[in-house]
């Protein structure tokens, strides 16, 4: 079994290993009092963001929040899907194991 296969088996459904990068499946709740990871919602990581769902503000806050959390530049956090929806897919240049370490 390869390391990536083992990582895929150990990863929760909201975390998709891509070798040296990862995709996170997010369910975003805009308009919260503060930005935070608030748990799991089915197969999604639930995230509350302190920005309204207006003019892309919530999307920008998702990128800012995860860049700060993972200690990455904002340009390294890519919103791949869900620009106009609560369900979002982001990509970060960290292996799944490191993402899990940071998120606890």
């Amino acid at each position: 079994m390869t390391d990536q296969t083992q990582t895929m088996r150990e990863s929760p459904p909201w975390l998709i290993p891509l070798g040296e990068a990862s995709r996170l499946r997010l369910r975003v709740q805009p308009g919260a009092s503060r930005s935070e990871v608030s748990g799991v919602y089915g197969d999604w990581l639930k995230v509350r963001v302190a920005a309204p769902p207006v003019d892309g503000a919530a999307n920008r806050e998702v990128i800012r929040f995860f860049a700060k959390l993972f200690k990455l530049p904002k340009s390294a956090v890519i919103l791949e899907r869900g620009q106009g929806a609560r369900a979002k897919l982001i990509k970060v240049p960290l292996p799944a194991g490191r993402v899990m370490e940071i998120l606890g």
Side-chain angles (χ1 to χ4, degrees), residues 45-98:
L45 185 65
K46 187 165 184 179
V47 180
R48 298 193 296 184
V49 294
V54 179
D55 297 327
N59 292 335
R60 288 190 299 277
E61 178 59 12
V62 165
I63 291 168
R64 186 208 64 79
F65 173 72
F66 279 100
K68 183 177 179 184
L69 181 68
F70 295 139
K71 296 183 172 97
L72 297 168
K74 288 188 278 188
S75 61
V77 179
I78 300 167
L79 178 60
E80 292 187 325
R81 285 193 208 148
Q83 285 79 359
R86 288 181 182 234
K88 300 187 185 299
L89 188 66
I90 65 167
K91 183 177 177 183
V92 295
L94 295 172
R98 183 72 183 121

